[in-house]
Amino acid sequence: MAKEMAVSDQELVCAAIEARETAYVPYSGFSVGAALLTSDGKIYKGGNIENAAYTPSNCAERTAFFKAVSEGEKNFAAIAIVGGKHEKSISDYCAPCGVCRQVMMEFCDPETFRILLAKNSEEWKVYTLKELLPLGFSGKDLDK
Ligand code: THU
């Protein structure tokens, strides 16, 4: 049986850049791409999807998570995120919104889940979920 190749951080960043092409952003003109890596090496890509009524809009990160979870995935290792003005190349890092951080908290170990914020295919910064969501609330808190 062929051995699965590990996905590199750069491959994950490139997948997020590709995912950004799928963003549907007629209202904000700000397109975001996310690439979510499962613990067994699969990548789920997502773009942000906006709506004329605004509030039904979905961030790129949640598109990727909901695609993955709806396919039965529950174990995640990392996510790469890129964002910037639509149809322009990215010029700065794009941090996940609070709602997306909370969705990550639902499915990921904050100590080990890695969040890669990329400027381009060569430059990115890595954080843990715990760094971006200190004192996060999760299902474990409901058992206390
Ligand atoms: N957005 C994301 O998709 N992810 C983020 O991390 C930040 C914001 C989207 C939401 C909206 O469609 C657009 O970017 C502008 O806020």
Side-chain angles (χ1 to χ4, degrees), residues 9-23 25 30-36 46-48 59-61 79-86 88-96 115-125:
D9 283 358
Q10 189 170 42
E11 283 172 298
L12 198 62
V13 166
C14 289
I17 294 169
E18 273 172 35
R20 186 170 169 245
E21 299 292 316
T22 68
V25 291
F30 189 89
S31 50
V32 181
L36 176 62
N48 50 335
C59 289
E61 298 89 327
I79 191 168
I81 304 164
V82 293
K85 290 222 184 311
H86 193 50
K88 294 213 170 123
S89 48
I90 312 152
S91 59
D92 208 349
Y93 298 106
C94 174
I115 301 170
L116 283 59
L117 307 184
K119 243 188 199 180
N120 54 52
S121 61
E122 307 292 328
E123 288 176 272
W124 60 88
K125 298 192 283 193

Side-chain angles (χ1 to χ4, degrees), residues 60-113:
E61 298 89 327
R62 277 176 288 142
T63 303
F65 264 94
F66 297 156
K67 279 173 71 178
V69 174
S70 65
E71 294 294 326
E73 305 288 353
K74 291 282 187 310
N75 298 303
F76 302 104
I79 191 168
I81 304 164
V82 293
K85 290 222 184 311
H86 193 50
E87 283 172 349
K88 294 213 170 123
S89 48
I90 312 152
S91 59
D92 208 349
Y93 298 106
C94 174
C97 80
V99 173
C100 289
R101 293 178 203 205
Q102 185 62 33
V103 168
M104 293 174 197
M105 191 70 197
E106 185 66 28
F107 296 106
C108 308
D109 178 347
E111 308 266 353
T112 59
F113 184 68

